[in-house]
Structure formats: C-alpha cells, structure tokens
Amino acid sequence: MAHSHSHATPAEGNERQLRLALGLTGTFLIVEVVGAFALNSLALLSDAAHMGTDAAALGIALFATRLARRAPDAKRSFGYHRAEIIAAVINALLLFAVAIYIGFEAWQRMREPSMPNSFGMLVVATAGLLVNLVSMRLLRAGSTANLNMKGAYLEVWSDMLGSVGVILGAVVIWITDWPWVDPLIALGIAVWVLPRTWVLLKESMNVLLEGVPSGLSLEKIKAELLSQHGVKGIHHLHVWALASSKPSLTAHVVYDPQIVGSDVLIKRLNKRLTDQFHIQHSTLQCEIESLGDETCIVDSETPPHTQGAAANAAGHDHRNSPTGSKSL
C-alpha cells in the first residue's frame, strides 16, 4: 500500500503576490535607470541596480514557486520543492554582486565627484519608495515561512532602504551642494544589505546541505523522544529539510514491548514531534530492546493498520541491518 505523504505545494497566493510585485518593480525599473543617467546620480543608479535585482529575484522566485507546484514523478519522488532553495541562493548571490559593483563605483565617484540633479533624484526616489512599499506589503505574509519568498522580500526591503537613502541624499545635496554625498549614500546602501544577504545565503546552503533546520535542536528532539514512556534508546537520528518549511525526521527507536506496544508508541512519538517541533513528516523504525531481532518501520503519515505495508515500502533492507531484524 502506498504512503499517503503530503508534500504540500506553495500557496497560490504567493504566486499572485509575486506577479503583482514583479509587474510594479519591472515597470519602475525602466523609469529609474533612465532617471539615473539623465540626472547623473550614482545613488539613484545604485537604487536602480537594486531594483534590477529585485525584478530578477521576483522573476526567479515566481518561476521557482510554479516549479515547486509540479507533482512528484518517477525520477523526483519528492517533487520540485528544492527549486525554492536554489532560487534563494541565486537571489543572495545577485545581491552580493550588486553590492560589490556599487562599492567600486562609489569609490571611483568619491575620487572624482560630479554634481547630480538633486531635485530629479528626489522625485524619482520618492516614486521608487512608493513602489517598494506596495511590493513589500504584497510579499510580507509569505516571507516568514518560505526562503524563496524571504529572498524576494529582502530584495525589495533593501531597495526600499535604498530609496530612503537616495531621498535623504537628494535633500542634503540640494541644501549643501556637496556632490560626495551621492556616492556615500550609494556605498551605505551596498554595505547595509550585505549582512542580511549573508543570513539568507547561509540558511539556504544549510537546507541544500541537509543540515538541521534553523530553530530545531537535534539534542532537544532526542531528549524529547527519550522522555517518552517505554523508549529505551534513540539512534540513527536525522533531521533535515526538503524546503524551508518542510522539516523531516528519521530515527531508530529502541523500546520495551513489556511497557508499551509499537502502535501506541509510534502514535505518541509522532504527536510529540508535531506538537513540540512542528515536524509532520517522520519515519521511525522500532527495535525491541533485549531481543534486537524484530523491527517495525512506521511512517508518521501512514495509518496504523498499514504498518506492515509501510515497512516494506520504506525501502530499508533489514537483511543487512546490524540486528538481522525482520519486519512486523
């Protein structure tokens, strides 16, 4: 009997929000690039470059969201959820590239200052700020539980700060006629974004390397499982994430059948994993203490009466196991 795994796809609301944000950002990007060259403003060009990465990030995020909705197939049994993480990595690398480019241009402009059109900067940057605020509102809801959406949100968020910086710089230049303020603001925007970009890249790489998901502790999970009545030992404990919001767990559970039955124990452990750690996809292999020759493999999303089928479907070869176990 097949497992009834639930690999839920991203909400369609995320796709709609991404489309709207991409439309707004892409349209204004053209306006800002033209304005940056016409007004001779590096700060405005820096903001336009960030908006360009916004558009790219939103496009990548939209593509990844659509790809992740594809159903699993014979070659990709988990589906395409990892596309979300790959998109987040690409977004982070784009931000790093833009920050380096703007830093170099700012250094060049500091050495040879040129006066930008401060009033034009103010008008264009204000319009950009409004576009960013609308886009942020569209993306904010999905950014808390999805690294792909978080990457897109961070792109727009950083560009919003850039617009604020350009507005402040335009006002200062208008009042003081200090041309070096323009590259200084551009450099500040680039430096401000880097720490957040590093966090996004680190979280994304942790998922790709199948590390323990952020917010989960392997030791705490093991302690919680060991605290359950009848559990005598835990080994081969692995926790990873298929995507940012899809933690998974596998473990071998040594138990005493004189104290608790395997059916009751599995239900109890799955409930604790869901309630305490929000892990809804777990595969637990039960091993009888003292005998070490009988096991039962039960997937957390498989009904109890299908345990025997689940053991066969789980893909564990007990003939080669250290205990020489057999499935119940």
Side-chain angles (χ1 to χ4, degrees):
M1 181 177 294
H3 285 29
S4 58
H5 290 177
S6 176
H7 301 298
T9 57
E12 293 187 6
N14 286 348
E15 184 176 330
R16 181 180 62 83
Q17 292 161 353
L18 284 168
R19 283 201 306 268
L20 291 173
L22 178 59
L24 285 171
T25 302
T27 300
F28 190 77
L29 171 62
I30 299 173
V31 175
E32 195 163 35
V33 169
V34 172
F37 285 103
L39 302 172
N40 191 35
S41 171
L42 180 61
L44 201 58
L45 182 60
S46 172
D47 194 41
H50 277 297
M51 188 158 282
T53 60
D54 286 353
L58 290 168
I60 293 169
L62 180 60
F63 173 76
T65 298
R66 288 183 174 179
L67 187 61
R69 291 172 58 189
R70 294 179 61 179
D73 54 40
K75 290 186 177 181
R76 296 169 183 83
S77 60
F78 281 103
Y80 295 78
H81 298 293
R82 275 285 166 88
E84 167 205 322
I85 307 302
I86 295 172
V89 171
I90 294 173
N91 289 344
L93 294 177
L94 280 174
L95 275 171
F96 272 122
V98 168
I100 292 171
Y101 168 74
I102 294 301
F104 176 77
E105 288 296 321
W107 171 250
Q108 294 294 101
R109 188 69 67 91
M110 291 283 284
R111 296 173 59 187
E112 299 179 6
S114 59
M115 183 65 69
N117 185 321
S118 57
F119 179 75
M121 285 174 60
L122 182 62
V123 172
V124 175
T126 301
L129 176 61
L130 294 176
V131 170
N132 287 323
L133 289 174
V134 173
S135 296
M136 284 178 65
R137 184 174 180 83
L138 290 171
L139 300 175
R140 184 175 182 180
S143 67
T144 56
N146 183 302
L147 282 177
N148 184 30
M149 291 291 288
K150 182 178 181 179
Y153 178 79
L154 280 177
E155 290 272 9
V156 177
W157 182 82
S158 65
D159 194 41
M160 183 274 295
L161 293 178
S163 297
V164 172
V166 174
I167 290 172
L168 294 176
V171 172
V172 172
I173 294 172
W174 194 1
I175 295 174
T176 64
D177 286 333
W178 292 342
W180 53 266
V181 171
D182 181 59
L184 184 64
I185 293 295
L187 185 60
I189 294 171
V191 172
W192 179 266
V193 172
L194 286 178
R196 289 149 189 82
T197 304
W198 171 248
V199 171
L200 174 64
L201 182 61
K202 185 170 66 172
E203 290 180 355
S204 302
M205 291 305 297
N206 185 58
V207 175
L208 288 179
L209 294 174
E210 297 190 344
V212 177
S214 177
L216 293 178
S217 166
L218 205 63
E219 291 302 317
K220 289 183 178 179
I221 293 173
K222 184 174 182 179
E224 181 66 28
L225 295 176
L226 286 171
S227 70
Q228 300 306 304
H229 189 58
V231 176
K232 299 301 181 179
I234 298 290
H235 60 101
H236 288 85
L237 174 62
H238 301 284
V239 182
W240 74 100
L242 179 63
S244 55
S245 59
K246 299 180 181 300
S248 300
L249 176 148
T250 61
H252 289 206
V253 181
V254 181
Y255 77 108
D256 186 345
Q258 302 296 326
I259 298 176
V260 62
S262 61
D263 290 359
V264 174
L265 179 60
I266 290 296
K267 290 179 181 178
R268 184 187 303 158
L269 294 180
N270 286 331
K271 187 175 189 306
R272 299 305 295 173
L273 289 171
T274 299
D275 293 346
Q276 296 296 318
F277 306 104
H278 306 290
I279 299 176
Q280 298 181 348
H281 188 150
S282 59
T283 301
L284 303 174
Q285 176 170 315
C286 300
E287 299 177 355
I288 297 177
E289 188 194 32
S290 74
L291 295 181
D293 62 352
E294 295 187 5
T295 64
C296 62
I297 303 172
V298 182
D299 189 283
S300 66
E301 295 169 343
T302 304
H305 67 275
T306 64
Q307 288 174 12
N312 295 327
H316 296 282
D317 187 356
H318 299 300
R319 293 172 297 177
N320 298 324
S321 68
T323 59
S325 59
K326 62 182 180 180
S327 297
L328 289 180

